[in-house]
Amino acid sequence: MEKVKVTLPDGSVKEYDAGTTVEDVAYSIGSGLGRDAVAGVVDGKKVDANYPIEEDVELSIITIDSDEALEILRHTASHIMAQAVKRLYDNVQVAIGPAIDDGFYYDFNLDKTINDESLAEIEAEMQKIIEEDIEIERKVLPRAEAVALMEERNEKYKLELIDELEDQMISLYFQGDYVDLCRGPHLPSTGYVKAFKLMNVAGAYWRGDENNEMLQRIYGTAFASEKDLEKYINRMEEAKKRDHRKLGKELDLFSIQDEGKGFPFFHPKGMALRNELVDFWKEEHRKAGYEEIKTPIILDESLWHQSGHWDHYKDNMYFTEIDGDTHAVKPMNCPGGILVYKDSMHSYRELPIRMAELGLVHRHEMSGALHGLMRVRSFTQDDAHIYCLPDQIEDELSGVIKLVDRLYSAFGFNYKVELSTKPENAMGSDEQWDRAIKALKNSIERNDLDYEINEGDGAFYGPKIDFHLEDSIGRTWQCGTIQLDFQMPERFDLSYIGQDGEEHRPAMIHRAIYGSIERFIGILIEHFAGAFPTWIAPVQVEIIPVSDDQIDYALQVKEALSKEKIRVEVDSRSEQVGYKIRDAQVKQIPYMLIVGGREEENGTVSVRDRREGDLGTSKLSEFKAKILAEIKAKAISQENIQK
C-alpha cells in the first residue's frame, strides 16, 4: 500500500498508509490525544477528524479543549440548534448559521415567533440530540444531487447559496435527520458538545438586505466546559449592568431619537465628557508635532472615484446633488486631507508633515445593526495623516505607537496588537505590500510589542496595525489603527521636492487612536461602569447643603471651584441629605461636599468619596488643591477599573 509522510508540529516525521485519518494519527501518538482529537490542520487548512490523508502533509491535531476547537465546537452547536428547531416546529427553513465571536447564531424562517419559552424548549431538544451522540459526516456531492436534495427538503435559502457557488462538487454535512450545506469542519459527533446556552433572539434580514424578508436569528454560545460557560454567563450579566445605552440614559449623557436613528444626540453632561477627551487628544497631538485641519463633510463624487472609495464603499455612502453634480457625504477623512496636502508644493525639508483631523463622517448601516454609540451612522474619527520620506517611515510609525500607548494608558487600558496583511481586493503591487508589511513589523518589534498576524484583513490600500483594547471585564474592542499607504499618493499624484530638486512620492500613514469618539465613549462608559475617573467625570463635585440656610454658602463654594474649571453642581432640592448623597452616588459623582452651619462658619467642607464614603472635614483650599492635582495627574484608582 502507498505510504504518506506526516510532518508534526515538533518537526518529527511519521509514515502511514495512504488514507489514514487525522484521528488515526492522533491515536498512533497516544490514546489520550486520540480521544481528545476533534479536528486537524492539514497544510494550513482545518479539516475534520475523519479526513483521509492521501499525500505527504504537515499536520497539527486540534483537541476539544484547545482555543482552535472553540470555533468548530460553536459551529457544530449551531447545526445542533438548527436540527432541534426543525424537529420542534413545522415549515422551518434554515438560512445561515456561523460561529461568531463569543458564540454562534442561526437564521430561521418559521411561522412560530420565538420567545424565551421557545428558547428553553429548543435547549431541551438540543440536549436530547447531544445525548443521542449522532455521528456527523461530511459528504461531497455532485452539484445536481445537492440541488435535488435541498429541493426535496424545501430549503430555498440553501438552494440560493448553492446557485452562487462555482463549485461542481458541493460540501454537505449529514447529522442524523438533519443535512446542511457547509464547508466545515465539525466535531465528530453531537456528543462532543458539553456546555451550551441559547442567549436571545433578534430579527435579521436575509443576506443583510432590508429589501429581503425578515428572519428570526437565535443567538447562543458554547464552551468546552461548564466552568467556562458559567464564567461567560456571569460576564454577560455584568455587561448588562454596564450597558452604555442604559447608563447613558441614567447619567444623562446621550440619547438616540426616533427622528435621527443612528445619529447620536449628546446632552450637556455627555458633551463635558466628550470635550475632555477631545482636549486631551488635542494637547497630546500638539506635543507630538501634529497640526490640526478641518475638511468639508460633502465633496464631489469624482474625488471618491479617484480615491478608490467608490469601488469599495459606495453601498455605505450617502449622496446628494449640488448644482446638478453628484456629491457624497464623506465616509472617511483621508481624501479631504490629501487635498490639503496637495494644495501647495512641499520640500523634503518640511517632511514629515503630520495633519490631524477630528472629522465627522457618515456611513449607512442597516437599522438592525445599529447599537447605541457602538454602531452609528454618523461619528467623529480622530484621524491623522502623516506624509513622510521613505527613510522616515519606521520612525513615524514608532512615534504613532508611542502616542497610542500614552492615550490608552490614561484610561487604564491594556491592549493587544494585530498586524493585518494584504486582502483579496487590494490595490498596488506585491512589492509595495511586502515593503509596507515589513515596515509595520519592524516598528512593532522596535517597540517590544507582542503581536498576532491577521492574514488578508488589511485595508484595500495598505496593511495595518490594529489595537484591541481590553476592558475591565475582559472584553476586547478594536479601536486604534495605523495604516501604511503607498496607493493614495500614487492615485492623487502627491509629491515633494527632494534634495536633488526633482519631484518624489511621499509615503502616507493613516492612523486613528480613539477610532470613533462616539464608540470610544461607549466603551469608556462600560469599562468604568459609569464611575469615570475624576478628570473626565461629567460632574466632578456635587455640593449638598444641609438646609436651605446653606444654599448661599454652597453657591460660594461652587463659584470658587468653577473658577478653577472644576465641573460642579449644587443640589438645592428640598430633600433629605441622605437621599441627596445616595442620588449623587447613583450618578457616580466622584466627590460630594456636604455643607452645613458649622462648615459655613469655619469656611470648610465635609468631603465624601463616592466609594470610600466620609473623608472628614477639609478647608476648601485644601480640597481644591487635592482635586486639581488628581485631575492634572489623570489619576485612575482601582475602584474605577474594578473587575
Side-chain angles (χ1 to χ4, degrees):
M1 183 175 285
E2 186 180 345
K3 298 290 185 180
V4 293
K5 291 180 179 178
V6 175
T7 303
L8 299 171
D10 63 1
S12 63
V13 179
K14 292 181 177 290
E15 198 169 75
Y16 298 93
D17 292 337
T20 296
T21 67
V22 170
E23 184 181 32
D24 293 335
V25 173
Y27 270 108
S28 76
I29 297 170
S31 58
L33 182 62
R35 286 191 299 272
D36 290 342
V38 293
V41 181
V42 172
D43 291 338
K45 179 183 176 184
K46 287 183 180 180
V47 298
D48 297 304
N50 62 4
Y51 176 85
I53 300 170
E54 304 288 359
E55 57 188 10
D56 295 349
V57 298
E58 292 183 357
L59 169 68
S60 61
I61 308 295
I62 297 176
T63 56
I64 187 64
D65 58 351
S66 67
D67 291 340
E68 283 185 301
L70 202 51
E71 181 182 359
I72 300 170
L73 170 69
R74 289 169 174 168
H75 197 176
T76 299
S78 78
H79 280 214
I80 293 172
M81 179 174 71
Q83 185 176 17
V85 170
K86 287 186 74 70
R87 282 187 180 185
L88 288 169
Y89 310 116
D90 296 327
N91 302 319
V92 177
Q93 291 187 330
V94 294
I96 56 173
I100 56 174
D101 289 346
D102 289 342
F104 59 88
Y105 71 78
Y106 219 121
D107 292 344
F108 300 96
N109 189 337
L110 71 164
D111 296 333
K112 179 179 175 60
T113 299
I114 301 298
N115 53 29
D116 288 345
E117 192 176 299
S118 310
L119 294 182
E121 189 177 38
I122 296 166
E123 277 188 346
E125 190 64 31
M126 288 175 69
Q127 190 59 48
K128 289 180 186 177
I129 293 169
I130 290 167
E131 290 168 2
E132 290 171 25
D133 196 18
I134 302 167
E135 181 185 0
I136 301 173
E137 183 183 6
R138 180 174 185 253
K139 294 182 182 179
V140 180
L141 301 182
R143 187 184 192 88
E145 287 187 31
V147 168
L149 181 61
M150 290 303 167
E151 284 178 341
E152 178 187 332
R153 303 174 75 87
N154 191 33
E155 296 290 4
K156 74 169 188 175
Y157 301 108
K158 301 298 180 183
L159 287 167
E160 185 175 327
L161 293 171
I162 291 173
D163 187 55
E164 294 177 359
L165 296 174
E166 296 180 359
D167 313 49
Q168 293 308 305
M169 299 299 290
I170 306 298
S171 174
L172 299 165
Y173 275 82
F174 289 72
Q175 185 174 297
D177 56 0
Y178 179 70
V179 182
D180 207 341
L181 174 70
C182 188
R183 295 189 183 277
H186 281 279
L187 301 178
S189 71
T190 60
Y192 279 81
V193 177
K194 303 297 184 187
F196 73 94
K197 182 171 179 58
L198 301 187
M199 307 300 291
N200 61 284
V201 63
Y205 293 109
W206 167 235
R207 312 303 290 272
D209 187 340
E210 57 192 2
N211 296 313
N212 291 335
E213 60 264 53
M214 176 70 78
L215 306 176
Q216 295 187 74
R217 175 172 293 178
I218 302 176
Y219 286 96
T221 193
F223 288 87
S225 70
E226 286 288 347
K227 182 180 178 182
D228 288 341
L229 175 62
E230 184 178 347
K231 183 178 176 182
Y232 172 78
I233 291 171
N234 289 339
R235 193 178 76 180
M236 289 301 99
E237 288 301 317
E238 180 62 27
K240 280 183 184 178
K241 297 175 190 173
R242 294 168 177 260
D243 189 317
H244 75 284
R245 295 166 299 178
K246 169 177 170 286
L247 290 175
K249 184 175 180 64
E250 290 175 0
L251 302 178
D252 195 23
L253 301 176
F254 72 93
S255 60
I256 306 291
Q257 308 286 348
D258 288 341
E259 292 80 0
K261 294 182 176 67
F263 302 98
F265 291 72
F266 277 89
H267 299 194
K269 288 183 174 63
M271 282 304 298
L273 169 59
R274 184 187 178 107
N275 287 337
E276 280 295 333
L277 297 181
V278 168
D279 290 347
F280 175 51
W281 183 93
K282 287 186 176 186
E283 177 62 16
E284 289 300 318
H285 281 72
R286 184 192 62 77
K287 291 177 186 174
Y290 288 79
E291 295 177 297
E292 191 174 356
I293 64 170
K294 183 174 177 57
T295 63
I297 293 174
I298 299 174
L299 293 163
D300 191 273
E301 175 189 323
S302 61
L303 182 71
W304 307 103
H305 286 282
Q306 187 175 2
S307 69
H309 288 94
W310 184 270
D311 297 328
H312 297 85
Y313 276 92
K314 65 180 177 184
D315 292 339
N316 297 98
M317 293 168 67
Y318 296 111
F319 300 95
T320 187
E321 192 172 286
I322 302 174
D323 297 334
D325 295 324
T326 302
H327 288 63
V329 181
K330 66 178 179 181
M332 289 188 176
N333 297 306
C334 36
I338 287 170
L339 294 183
V340 174
Y341 176 89
K342 196 175 169 63
D343 192 54
S344 60
M345 183 58 72
H346 301 281
S347 162
Y348 73 94
R349 296 178 186 276
E350 297 175 63
L351 272 56
I353 293 173
R354 308 181 187 103
M355 294 182 182
E357 177 177 16
L358 293 165
L360 180 63
V361 300
H362 290 72
R363 298 179 190 173
H364 179 64
E365 297 283 357
M366 297 296 180
S367 58
L370 299 174
H371 182 75
L373 297 178
M374 303 299 194
R375 197 75 176 263
V376 292
R377 288 171 170 157
S378 72
F379 55 94
T380 303
Q381 281 189 318
D382 66 317
D383 264 332
H385 299 96
I386 301 171
Y387 306 90
C388 61
L389 307 175
D391 62 2
Q392 294 173 333
I393 289 173
E394 290 190 20
D395 283 343
E396 289 304 304
L397 291 171
S398 185
V400 175
I401 288 172
K402 288 180 170 61
L403 182 58
V404 168
D405 186 71
R406 285 203 298 279
L407 264 68
Y408 290 168
S409 296
F411 304 100
F413 281 122
N414 295 320
Y415 56 86
K416 295 178 181 177
V417 177
E418 190 174 73
L419 173 59
S420 297
T421 59
K422 185 178 181 181
E424 289 184 8
N425 64 345
M427 299 189 305
S429 67
D430 288 342
E431 181 185 358
Q432 287 176 318
W433 276 83
D434 290 343
R435 184 155 55 104
I437 291 169
K438 182 179 178 182
L440 292 177
K441 276 185 179 178
N442 289 345
S443 65
I444 295 171
E445 291 168 2
R446 179 173 164 183
N447 285 275
D448 297 321
L449 296 175
D450 294 328
Y451 66 99
E452 294 181 357
I453 302 288
N454 186 10
E455 295 289 354
D457 200 41
F460 66 88
Y461 47 77
K464 60 179 180 171
I465 300 170
D466 286 331
F467 296 85
H468 297 263
L469 304 184
E470 182 180 346
D471 72 12
S472 57
I473 59 172
R475 297 171 301 180
T476 57
W477 308 87
Q478 193 276 308
C479 290
T481 187
I482 308 172
Q483 301 163 358
L484 179 54
D485 179 9
F486 295 120
Q487 309 310 317
M488 292 292 174
E490 291 283 349
R491 294 176 80 96
F492 283 90
D493 192 27
L494 302 187
S495 63
Y496 65 89
I497 303 301
Q499 252 180 312
D500 57 4
E502 301 294 326
E503 290 190 5
H504 298 271
R505 194 77 72 207
M508 183 176 178
I509 297 170
H510 308 244
R511 43 111 300 193
I513 300 177
Y514 292 152
S516 151
I517 289 182
E518 288 75 8
R519 183 167 174 268
F520 195 77
I521 289 172
I523 293 167
L524 288 180
I525 292 170
E526 299 197 3
H527 177 58
F528 293 118
F532 301 110
T534 304
W535 72 276
I536 58 170
V539 178
Q540 295 163 324
V541 179
E542 181 96 333
I543 303 171
I544 300 174
V546 171
S547 71
D548 290 350
D549 293 340
Q550 282 80 47
I551 288 178
D552 286 345
Y553 179 58
L555 293 172
Q556 291 172 28
V557 172
K558 177 185 178 182
E559 184 179 0
L561 296 177
S562 296
K563 282 181 179 178
E564 302 293 340
K565 297 184 179 179
I566 297 168
R567 292 184 292 278
V568 56
E569 290 184 347
V570 174
D571 188 345
S572 58
R573 293 176 297 173
S574 299
E575 299 285 357
Q576 294 294 319
V577 170
Y579 175 87
K580 293 180 181 180
I581 290 172
R582 287 192 297 275
D583 187 56
Q585 288 174 326
V586 167
K587 292 176 179 174
Q588 305 288 8
I589 297 171
Y591 291 103
M592 288 144 272
L593 302 183
I594 318 301
V595 292
R598 185 180 303 170
E599 284 80 15
E600 181 176 10
E601 184 178 337
N602 298 326
T604 59
V605 291
S606 180
V607 184
R608 286 187 64 88
D609 180 276
R610 63 184 160 194
R611 293 291 182 268
E612 296 176 28
D614 186 8
L615 300 181
T617 300
S618 169
K619 289 182 179 179
L620 179 58
S621 58
E622 291 174 352
F623 172 76
K624 185 165 61 176
K626 175 184 181 299
I627 191 172
L628 286 173
E630 184 180 336
I631 291 168
K632 184 178 180 180
K634 295 181 170 52
I636 298 177
S637 64
Q638 279 304 111
E639 59 97 0
N640 288 131
I641 54 175
Q642 187 175 2
K643 291 179 171 60

